[in-house]
Amino acid sequence: MSNITSQLRQLEEQLQGFAPSRKHDLFGVETLKGAIAAAKSGNFGVGAILAETSTGKILCRGHNRVFSENRSDLHAEMDLLNSFEEVHKDKSRDALKGLTLYTSLESCPMCLCRIITAGLTEVYHIADDVGGGMVHIRQQLPPIWQDIAKGRVFKKADCSDVLSDMAQQVFLLTMNLNDRL
């Protein structure tokens, strides 16, 4: 068993024993399940979910598939939105109203622009991505993107530090995949 596989298994076990205590912990756990699945399949360890804001019911899941599908655009958020939009076809923008997107890692510039275009109004990430995330520097988006995104929520989830650390670990375990790009 490789070291990465062993570490992913340990993270899965830690996740199974995790006791939620913060507002977004349950959603964080679900994004981490996707992140671990992505990492196990040889992709960057990032997962995402769409949940009904009022009930918390999870409607759609996605995870990074950049290498398994050989499509450079299949980041977790893109995978999730593709699946959701395929089901809802021409009514996806209306169907996204009242839904919240959670992702295990702060969205990159490509994903953030897609999320803005899709019309989502609430997006939370479990772990910051200081080197590649766009949420913490979204004021650097072109003015038109900033204008479209006005009034929307893009921020770090209210979750336990343990989950944030785990999300960071899953992603960092797969960083060597950058050599494949």
Side-chain angles (χ1 to χ4, degrees):
M1 182 185 312
S2 77
N3 188 36
I4 291 175
T5 304
S6 174
Q7 289 176 333
L8 289 171
R9 186 163 291 152
Q10 287 175 351
L11 287 168
E12 277 183 310
E13 289 171 8
Q14 187 180 357
L15 195 58
Q16 288 174 353
F18 178 77
S21 63
R22 307 270 302 266
K23 180 179 180 179
H24 296 136
D25 278 353
L26 290 173
F27 303 113
V29 167
E30 295 303 318
T31 66
L32 275 162
K33 288 178 183 177
I36 291 169
K40 283 181 163 183
S41 66
N43 292 281
F44 294 113
V46 182
I49 61 168
L50 265 178
E52 287 182 344
T53 305
S54 60
T55 66
K57 179 182 176 187
I58 296 171
L59 302 178
C60 194
R61 297 171 185 271
H63 66 265
N64 191 292
R65 298 177 193 276
V66 170
F67 299 113
S68 59
E69 301 288 329
N70 292 314
R71 288 207 23 213
S72 60
D73 65 330
L74 288 182
H75 292 192
E77 301 94 324
M78 302 291 260
D79 179 47
L80 173 105
L81 287 169
N82 287 350
S83 296
F84 187 84
E85 289 173 345
E86 181 61 30
V87 169
H88 296 281
K89 300 279 183 199
D90 59 343
K91 297 181 182 182
S92 66
R93 290 181 67 67
D94 288 332
L96 284 168
K97 291 178 182 167
L99 302 184
T100 301
L101 188 147
Y102 296 87
T103 183
S104 62
L105 189 69
E106 180 180 352
S107 297
C108 74
M110 174 180 73
C111 292
L112 186 61
C113 288
R114 169 83 184 273
I115 289 165
I116 292 168
T117 302
L120 281 156
T121 58
E122 267 188 279
V123 180
Y124 297 97
H125 60 273
I126 306 308
D128 294 326
D129 184 2
V130 178
M134 190 71 207
V135 173
H136 70 279
I137 56 169
R138 69 183 175 279
Q139 71 279 4
Q140 294 179 19
L141 285 168
I144 188 69
W145 288 103
Q146 290 181 45
D147 190 50
I148 295 168
K150 274 187 185 159
R152 300 187 194 184
V153 174
F154 300 97
K155 64 183 185 179
K156 186 158 186 197
D158 177 11
C159 67
S160 301
D161 291 340
V162 170
L163 289 180
S164 184
D165 292 344
M166 288 174 71
Q168 194 71 240
Q169 287 175 51
V170 173
F171 180 68
L172 291 175
L173 283 172
T174 58
M175 282 304 298
N176 67 330
L177 296 174
N178 279 329
D179 298 339
R180 291 173 60 184
L181 295 176

